[in-house]
Amino acid sequence: MARVVVDVMLKPEILDPQGQAVQRALPRLGFEGISDVRQGKRFELEVDGPVDEAALARIHDLAESFLANTVIEDFTVRVEEVSEAVK
Amino acid sequence: MTARIGVVTFPGSLDDRDSQRAIRLAGAEPVALWHKDKDLKQVDAVVLCGGFSYGDYLRAGAIARFSPVMDTVIEQAKAGLPVLGICNGFQILTEAHLLPGGMLGNDHLHFICRDQKLRVENAETSWTTDYTAGQEIHIPLKNMDGRYVADQYTLDELEAEGRVAFRYLDFNPNGSLNDIAGITNAAGNVVGLMPHPEHAVESLIGTGRTDGLPFFTSILKKLVNA
């Protein structure tokens, strides 16, 4: 089994009021010097079998058609290495 | 024979009964459609009503767009079937790419519920002929994800082609670009808007006005004359 991570973010030009609300709260919490926050979504897909090129291509299609709305969002797909030490 | 107008119920739809009632008050026959049905029961038009289809999980309208009924709605809308998307229905129409742009959370992050003033910008769509261009109306608005966004090219195109069908007046309730409350596709058969005309069809409820009724009389007139 392998894990594929799809990260989805609003396109840079689109206002992210959630991120702004978080950013505005930071000074109150004592975190200075953070000039911008944008909030996105992370999907972790546990995939049966090997994550070969064909499997990645299918996940890319899934991300493009469903997990992200490419009218307003960008996405990235990557395979996450599962570390032996964690087991 | 009277016109048959379908209203789709998704899990999480809230305004299906109100939409059916509005259709009946306008003089047409409402037909209940179920999200799992591929068959549209030979209706003459379809209303995608308000609510929170599939809980709005992922994005508003994103999961509903892949329901079996939408396969048929998308196919037939492209062939000219009149489709009206109200609120969640508007979100579904953008997710289905039947209308351009996208819908995001309100810029103030809160749910909003108010009587909203609008200007009818386009009185030539299948759903707006009983209005006049420039007419100002009041209908209720209630949503969490009502912020219409599109890239500059799309906005310019919508404006140039008169496809901004409704615009917010006096107050922009959600940060929608260009104060856009509703748009139409190029053919004029697919219309989506955030405010709820089906809640303003009887003088005793809602705004106390019936400013939403012309949506349903417009489509009835179009279908009867067709």
Side-chain angles (χ1 to χ4, degrees):
Chain A
M1 205 156 78
R3 175 178 294 165
V4 178
V5 176
V6 180
D7 284 309
V8 176
M9 293 296 293
L10 280 177
K11 289 186 174 182
E13 66 271 23
I14 290 183
L15 173 74
D16 174 13
Q18 279 183 310
Q20 287 184 344
V22 172
Q23 195 256 331
R24 280 196 300 270
L26 294 179
R28 276 206 305 278
L29 303 172
F31 290 97
E32 303 292 343
I34 295 175
S35 57
D36 192 27
V37 175
R38 293 182 69 80
Q39 181 174 323
K41 285 178 216 165
R42 170 183 164 120
F43 299 87
E44 296 185 351
L45 313 180
E46 304 294 337
V47 182
D48 297 333
V51 181
D52 51 18
E53 252 179 54
L56 266 181
R58 287 183 61 220
I59 290 170
H60 190 277
D61 286 348
L62 167 70
E64 189 168 37
S65 60
F66 186 51
L67 299 181
N69 176 350
T70 55
V71 174
I72 49 179
E73 295 168 326
D74 295 326
F75 69 92
T76 59
V77 178
R78 65 191 157 83
V79 182
E80 190 172 75
E81 299 294 335
V82 180
S83 162
E84 289 293 321
V86 179
K87 282 184 180 171
Chain B
M1 207 180 76
T2 183
R4 288 159 51 83
I5 302 178
V7 178
V8 180
T9 299
F10 299 95
S13 291
L14 293 174
D15 300 324
D16 39 354
R17 292 305 183 101
D18 298 58
S19 299
Q20 290 174 23
R21 185 173 174 78
I23 289 163
R24 197 176 303 116
L25 283 168
E29 179 190 347
V31 177
L33 299 174
W34 184 236
H35 67 115
K36 285 187 173 172
D37 295 340
K38 269 191 174 292
D39 175 27
L40 297 186
K41 300 183 183 172
Q42 296 179 318
V43 294
D44 305 300
V46 167
V47 173
L48 301 177
C49 66
F52 297 85
S53 57
Y54 301 88
D56 275 358
Y57 304 138
L58 186 59
R59 294 178 306 277
I63 300 176
R65 173 252 177 278
F66 288 100
S67 63
V69 73
M70 284 305 296
D71 290 343
T72 317
V73 169
I74 291 168
E75 182 189 312
Q76 295 198 14
K78 286 177 179 169
L81 180 78
V83 178
L84 174 66
I86 301 167
C87 197
N88 196 228
F90 184 18
Q91 294 157 345
I92 295 168
L93 289 175
T94 61
E95 285 286 339
H97 304 304
L98 286 172
L99 292 173
M103 308 297 307
L104 285 166
N106 299 339
D107 60 352
H108 46 73
L109 299 175
H110 299 287
F111 188 91
I112 191 165
C113 181
R114 69 193 304 272
D115 290 340
Q116 177 68 46
K117 192 173 175 187
L118 304 174
R119 186 169 55 232
V120 180
E121 303 280 21
N122 182 333
E124 290 168 21
T125 77
S126 298
W127 301 89
T128 57
T129 52
D130 273 353
Y131 292 106
T132 50
Q135 188 177 346
E136 295 180 3
I137 61 174
H138 289 80
I139 60 177
L141 171 95
K142 55 184 174 94
N143 65 68
M144 188 80 206
D145 299 301
R147 176 165 52 114
Y148 181 78
V149 297
D151 60 33
Q152 196 58 47
Y153 177 84
T154 304
L155 285 175
D156 291 345
E157 188 179 55
L158 288 172
E159 296 288 356
E161 294 177 4
R163 288 171 51 196
V164 175
F166 301 91
R167 222 183 290 271
Y168 298 119
L169 281 188
D170 300 342
F171 176 70
N172 183 328
N174 44 36
S176 286
L177 297 178
N178 292 24
D179 298 329
I180 287 173
I183 57 175
T184 177
N185 67 346
N189 63 308
V190 180
V191 171
L193 80 165
M194 285 314 294
H196 287 263
E198 81 284 14
H199 293 330
V201 293
E202 287 171 297
S203 56
L204 276 176
I205 58 168
T207 56
R209 305 158 62 125
T210 57
D211 290 3
L213 196 57
F215 274 85
F216 306 97
T217 54
S218 295
I219 187 63
L220 179 61
K221 198 178 285 175
K222 177 187 165 58
L223 293 172
V224 170
N225 292 339

